[in-house]
Amino acid sequence: MKKLLWLMVLVLSLALAGAAGAAGVQGVTDTSIKIGQWGPQTGPAALWGAVARGTGVYFELINSEGGINGRKIEYFMRDDGYNPNRTKAIAKELWEQEKIWGFACGVGTSPGMAVMPYIIKNNIPWVGMATGSPHWTQPLKKNIFGVYPLYPDEAQILTSYAIDTLGKKKIAFFYQNDDYGKGGLEGAVRELKKRGMTLAADVPVEVGETDLASHVLKMKKAGADCVIMWVYPKHAAIVLGTAAKLGYKPQWMACSTLSDVALMFKITKGLWNGMIFGNFAELPDSKSPLMVKYQAAQKKFAPKERWGVFFYAGFGFVEPMVEGIKRAGKDLSVGNFIKAMESLKDFQGIMGPITYGPERRQGIKKVFLAKCVPATMEVNGKKVTYGKGQRLSDWIGVE
């Protein structure tokens, strides 16, 4: 009897200790972890909103497998419309009212920049922002872990490929006039400078612009035989349509933010054919075990969603966050989580190998290149043409 009482006291003590530990960390209980994200579900960048919805399905998959260390994820997703002012309000609401533990992803450089000081000030874990800006990891912020390859590096790789492999002589750069676009521009200029070259034209575009005829004419008059784009999907579609009308046919290249090849082929009415683009994750038709598993999760939890890179990127950007939470164990303090994240070495999910450390917060440093080619499939008895990615290279980094 004494032995039984002793065991009961021990179990009760452990339970109370666990509850006390959970109560000391915002957003964490013995059975749950609260994680938030913003992403444009409306507005000019709404096509990128699939990232946030993909993350939600990934968390549903994790929960269906029992959660992480016995805790289920409570996911809070908000539509910021790609508007930094709304992003600021959302971050404040999720942290101060919903009492989340950390942030996952978050689409867009400008929206992310708007909330980064707040996230640093409050020491909130933030992993896998859906943007390749260097601002998140350079200089190092202890609670912020980037996954996406850096835009300057990716642009440098595309520029190098255009010159060395395609033999292009005059390269133009068409970019969104903010930190996102300027990040790509920096990389292209860096690569050209190494070779004693300059851009044939650098053409900025504002988010709200819709008439891009003058932009196209500037690149055409410069004689650019290759144009690299760092814009959002709608601008990419407009500029290709405008160029076709004006008879301008350079080799087009694009950032990985435009790597949802089937979607881009559709919204450009086939003009995406021949586009060369960067990639941070497996192609949609990959048969890797994780991709097969994730596509099955999409069919189960979100059957109306289209299987495309923007959607499953929402899985890939938070794979290391889930791994870090696993490695942190039951005591999910921010400090323990950071130590766990710093232990990831060549962690492999559906993206390139991810490594962190005490002095490193940039997870992936490589991309691979692919080209859009036409393919056909049968839908309701009719053959339909769509665009698919054809891999051109292995993973490439910048020296």
Side-chain angles (χ1 to χ4, degrees), residues 48-113:
W48 286 334
V51 174
R53 301 195 299 277
T55 300
V57 170
Y58 179 58
F59 287 156
E60 282 195 79
L61 172 63
I62 297 296
N63 287 342
S64 73
E65 295 176 339
I68 311 172
N69 299 325
R71 295 183 173 112
K72 298 291 182 67
I73 298 169
E74 288 185 47
Y75 181 51
F76 298 80
M77 192 264 280
R78 299 287 188 269
D79 174 17
D80 70 347
Y82 205 71
N83 180 329
N85 288 328
R86 285 170 61 181
T87 316
K88 290 168 73 173
I90 286 167
K92 189 176 175 67
E93 180 249 335
L94 290 179
W95 175 249
E96 297 181 14
Q97 295 178 34
E98 297 294 350
K99 304 292 184 184
I100 62 158
W101 172 77
F103 285 109
C105 292
V107 172
T109 302
S110 295
M113 285 293 289

Side-chain angles (χ1 to χ4, degrees), residues 4-310:
L4 179 60
L5 285 171
W6 182 85
L7 284 172
M8 291 175 66
V9 169
L10 177 63
V11 170
L12 181 60
S13 299
L14 288 173
L16 289 172
V25 180
Q26 174 169 312
V28 179
T29 71
D30 283 349
T31 57
S32 67
I33 309 165
K34 291 184 176 181
I35 296 175
Q37 181 175 177
W38 60 85
Q41 305 304 304
T42 55
L47 291 174
W48 286 334
V51 174
R53 301 195 299 277
T55 300
V57 170
Y58 179 58
F59 287 156
E60 282 195 79
L61 172 63
I62 297 296
N63 287 342
S64 73
E65 295 176 339
I68 311 172
N69 299 325
R71 295 183 173 112
K72 298 291 182 67
I73 298 169
E74 288 185 47
Y75 181 51
F76 298 80
M77 192 264 280
R78 299 287 188 269
D79 174 17
D80 70 347
Y82 205 71
N83 180 329
N85 288 328
R86 285 170 61 181
T87 316
K88 290 168 73 173
I90 286 167
K92 189 176 175 67
E93 180 249 335
L94 290 179
W95 175 249
E96 297 181 14
Q97 295 178 34
E98 297 294 350
K99 304 292 184 184
I100 62 158
W101 172 77
F103 285 109
C105 292
V107 172
T109 302
S110 295
M113 285 293 289
V115 299
M116 186 170 69
Y118 181 81
I119 290 175
I120 293 172
K121 176 185 173 185
N122 290 288
N123 196 29
I124 307 169
W126 184 18
V127 180
M129 47 295 302
T131 153
S133 169
H135 294 306
W136 326 120
T137 59
Q138 298 175 2
L140 180 150
K141 293 90 180 170
K142 64 178 181 179
N143 56 316
I144 297 179
F145 292 83
V147 173
Y148 207 122
L150 298 180
Y151 290 144
D153 292 351
E154 185 182 349
Q156 198 170 344
I157 291 164
L158 284 166
T159 305
S160 177
Y161 188 87
I163 297 169
D164 294 338
T165 304
L166 303 180
K168 300 301 178 185
K169 306 293 185 187
K170 291 189 174 183
I171 297 172
F173 205 88
F174 176 57
Y175 65 100
Q176 193 163 297
N177 193 24
D178 59 11
D179 281 329
Y180 158 54
K182 291 176 182 175
L185 178 66
E186 176 191 332
V189 170
R190 183 199 300 165
E191 182 61 30
L192 290 170
K193 188 176 181 181
K194 279 173 52 182
R195 301 164 181 266
M197 299 169 65
T198 58
L199 285 168
D202 60 286
V203 183
V205 60
E206 304 297 332
V207 170
E209 289 185 276
T210 55
D211 183 353
L212 303 184
S214 63
H215 304 68
V216 173
L217 285 172
K218 185 175 180 181
M219 294 183 281
K220 185 178 181 183
K221 287 179 179 176
D225 55 4
C226 177
V227 176
I228 302 175
M229 291 194 285
W230 235 261
V231 294
Y232 69 84
K234 186 176 177 181
H235 271 156
I238 293 173
V239 81
L240 287 189
T242 305
K245 288 177 184 175
L246 295 173
Y248 180 46
K249 299 178 181 178
Q251 171 62 57
W252 295 94
M253 304 181 88
C255 174
S256 54
T257 55
L258 303 173
S259 62
D260 194 328
V261 62
L263 176 68
M264 295 308 300
F265 188 91
K266 182 178 179 181
I267 68 173
T268 60
K269 297 181 172 60
L271 294 175
W272 208 251
N273 186 22
M275 179 69 66
I276 293 174
F277 52 95
N279 296 266
F280 51 69
E282 297 269 358
L283 293 172
D285 56 359
S286 167
K287 300 303 180 188
S288 83
L290 269 182
M291 287 288 280
V292 171
K293 178 180 178 179
Y294 290 171
Q295 189 167 13
Q298 173 259 316
K299 289 177 180 175
K300 179 179 179 181
F301 297 114
K304 293 183 179 178
E305 290 282 358
R306 187 182 59 84
W307 180 247
V309 67
F310 294 168

Side-chain angles (χ1 to χ4, degrees), residues 334-399:
V334 174
N336 280 346
F337 174 72
I338 290 173
K339 287 180 185 175
M341 290 293 286
E342 289 176 347
S343 73
L344 268 65
K345 307 292 182 191
D346 292 327
F347 170 78
Q348 191 67 63
I350 61 171
M351 299 186 164
I354 295 172
T355 295
Y356 299 115
E359 302 300 325
R360 176 172 169 174
R361 289 294 184 269
Q362 178 57 43
I364 300 176
K365 293 190 173 183
K366 294 181 178 179
V367 298
F368 69 86
L369 303 185
K371 182 178 183 178
C372 176
V373 296
T376 58
M377 60 181 174
E378 194 166 299
V379 179
N380 298 325
K382 294 183 179 178
K383 282 191 174 181
V384 176
T385 302
Y386 68 102
K388 63 177 291 184
Q390 181 182 73
R391 192 159 178 157
L392 297 176
S393 76
D394 200 350
W395 290 96
I396 306 171
V398 174
E399 293 180 3

